[in-house]
């Protein structure tokens, strides 16, 4: 089996772990991982690493992400999304488009966000969601996140079991670690009501988008059609790294030095983002840390050649 990435369009109702398990069967290897968990309710871009492609996943987890979503104003849930029970209801009669746009603007940019209490964040070694489900009151500290885009596409009055609500379709682009369902919650609070997420579709992770994605049905059909692994889609390491990371082309000497575990000079000392280092033939040699004058390898892919 070759090494690389495959972008899956995750279906609703599947956990990210479920998709990884299916990926192991489809690609006939145990070495499969994913970059950035999607809740079972959510759909869209889930990046799987196959073979040595798993070494790239840690750099994709930190990439910015983009989503389309629907926020329901007028109801709060225990999970801040449609999977949890409704805990509080609020009025939406006085909320108009101008008020929504103003509230969205206040939640755009560099903000402090309190993550959803039903999340995988650990508190003294235990997941927050486990504590909530055990009946504990959980208060997580706010943390800095960046919402680079928060755009309202449509606002629709709706009826939810006899209660008047507003469904707001949005597009959001956020930094790693941002909870879109927390944005939904905070939008409702900012408007003097309540809010939760009813739909979420991830459209991009770094430079990887839905245009690169395959459904599980497509992948299953390819496996059933031909048992040869060569027919299974896989973005090679160098293409995957170039799509997701800043790149740098090495000299033969630099590529050889990195293969031997040596450091080389940084091309742009001080840059914080990881850099994909490509050999003259285009193959991926390493992912570099160029934060200092000399670059060190986060991970090396190509062995030294004599």
């Amino acid at each position: 089996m070759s090494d690389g990435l495959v972008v899956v369009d995750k279906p609703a109702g599947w956990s990210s772990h479920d998709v990884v398990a299916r990926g192991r069967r489809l690609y006939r290897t145990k070495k499969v991982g994913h970059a950035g968990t999607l809740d079972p309710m959510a759909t869209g871009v889930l990046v799987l690493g196959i073979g040595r492609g798993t070494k790239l996943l840690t750099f994709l987890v930190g990439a910015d992400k983009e989503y389309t979503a629907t926020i329901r104003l007028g109801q709060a849930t225990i999970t801040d999304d449609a999977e949890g029970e409704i805990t509080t209801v609020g009025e939406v009669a006085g909320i108009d488009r101008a008020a929504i746009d103003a509230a969205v603007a206040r939640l755009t940019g560099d903000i402090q966000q309190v993550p959803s209490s039903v999340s995988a964040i650990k508190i003294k070694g235990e997941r927050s969601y486990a504590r909530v489900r055990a009946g504990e009151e959980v208060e997580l500290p706010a943390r800095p996140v960046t919402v680079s885009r928060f755009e309202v596409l449509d606002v629709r009055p709706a009826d939810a079991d006899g209660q008047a609500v507003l469904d707001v379709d949005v597009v959001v682009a956020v930094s790693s670690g941002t909870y879109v369902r927390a944005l939904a919650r905070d939008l409702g609070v900012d408007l003097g009501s309540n809010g939760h997420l009813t739909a979420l579709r991830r459209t991009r992770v770094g430079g990887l988008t839905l245009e690169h994605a395959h459904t599980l049905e497509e992948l299953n059909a390819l496996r059933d059609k031909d048992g040869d692994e060569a027919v299974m889609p896989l973005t090679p390491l160098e293409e995957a790294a170039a799509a997701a990371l800043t790149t740098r082309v090495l000299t033969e000497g630099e590529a050889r030095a990195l293969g031997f575990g040596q450091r080389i000079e940084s091309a742009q000392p001080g840059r914080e983002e990881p850099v994909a280092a490509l050999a003259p033939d285009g193959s991926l040699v390493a992912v570099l840390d160029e934060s200092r004058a000399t670059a060190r390898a986060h991970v090396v892919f190509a062995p030294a050649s004599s």
Side-chain angles (χ1 to χ4, degrees):
M1 169 53 61
S2 300
D3 306 300
L5 301 181
V6 59
V7 182
V8 175
D9 185 350
K10 188 189 86 66
W14 285 60
S15 70
S16 298
H17 179 76
D18 292 337
V19 177
V20 167
R22 179 60 57 88
R24 287 173 178 150
R25 293 198 293 273
L26 288 169
Y27 285 85
R28 296 178 178 173
T29 177
K30 292 182 178 179
K31 202 167 185 182
V32 178
H34 71 81
T37 301
L38 277 177
D39 291 333
M41 181 190 88
T43 66
V45 171
L46 184 67
V47 182
L48 299 187
I50 310 296
R52 289 189 302 158
T54 56
K55 293 183 178 181
L56 279 176
L57 296 178
T58 184
F59 307 106
L60 292 173
V61 168
D64 63 324
K65 301 169 179 68
E66 188 164 296
Y67 302 83
T68 58
T70 300
I71 297 169
R72 174 158 290 178
L73 298 176
Q75 295 177 333
T77 71
I78 192 171
T79 57
D80 297 329
D81 63 21
E83 293 187 324
E85 63 185 55
I86 297 172
T87 56
T88 315
V89 297
E91 291 293 329
V92 296
I95 300 175
D96 58 17
R97 176 61 185 266
I100 293 172
D101 287 340
V104 161
R106 288 189 288 272
L107 290 169
T108 303
D110 296 328
I111 64 172
Q112 292 287 323
Q113 183 185 73
V114 176
S116 298
S117 58
V118 183
S119 67
I121 294 173
K122 286 187 176 181
I123 305 173
K124 296 181 179 178
E126 189 175 6
R127 301 290 185 185
S128 178
Y129 63 74
R131 291 178 175 271
V132 171
R133 289 169 183 167
E136 290 186 36
E137 289 283 340
V138 173
E139 291 187 12
L140 296 172
R143 57 184 183 178
V145 299
T146 300
V147 181
S148 55
R149 182 185 181 191
F150 196 171
E151 179 182 345
V152 178
L153 302 178
D154 189 33
V155 179
R156 305 183 306 279
D159 180 272
D161 296 326
Q163 182 198 353
V165 296
L166 290 175
D167 285 340
V168 184
D169 295 331
V170 300
V171 175
V172 294
V174 298
S175 62
S176 176
T178 306
Y179 285 83
V180 181
R181 51 196 166 113
L183 286 177
R185 174 201 66 203
D186 293 343
L187 181 65
V189 171
D190 190 283
L191 290 165
S193 183
N194 301 105
H196 72 280
L197 205 62
T198 60
L200 183 67
R201 182 163 178 75
R202 188 154 68 193
T203 57
R204 179 176 61 81
V205 174
L208 301 171
T209 71
L210 282 171
E211 293 181 358
H212 303 97
H214 304 271
T215 66
L216 289 178
E217 289 79 6
E218 291 169 347
L219 295 176
N220 285 326
L222 285 171
R223 172 56 70 196
D224 293 340
K225 181 179 179 181
D226 191 337
D228 184 0
E229 283 86 348
V231 305
M232 298 300 291
L234 196 67
T235 302
L237 289 175
E238 57 274 10
E239 291 182 24
L245 305 173
T246 299
T247 59
R248 166 186 176 181
V249 179
L250 304 172
T251 65
E252 290 284 1
E254 289 170 336
R256 189 178 305 110
L258 286 171
F260 280 118
Q262 300 169 1
R263 295 194 177 202
I264 62 174
E265 289 187 8
S266 294
Q268 294 183 31
R271 57 180 168 185
E272 295 297 326
E273 71 272 19
V275 178
L278 306 177
D281 66 2
S283 60
L284 180 63
V285 177
V287 177
L288 301 179
D289 174 357
E290 290 198 344
S291 59
R292 298 184 179 182
T294 56
R296 69 175 184 84
H298 287 296
V299 59
V300 176
F301 291 87
S305 57
S306 56

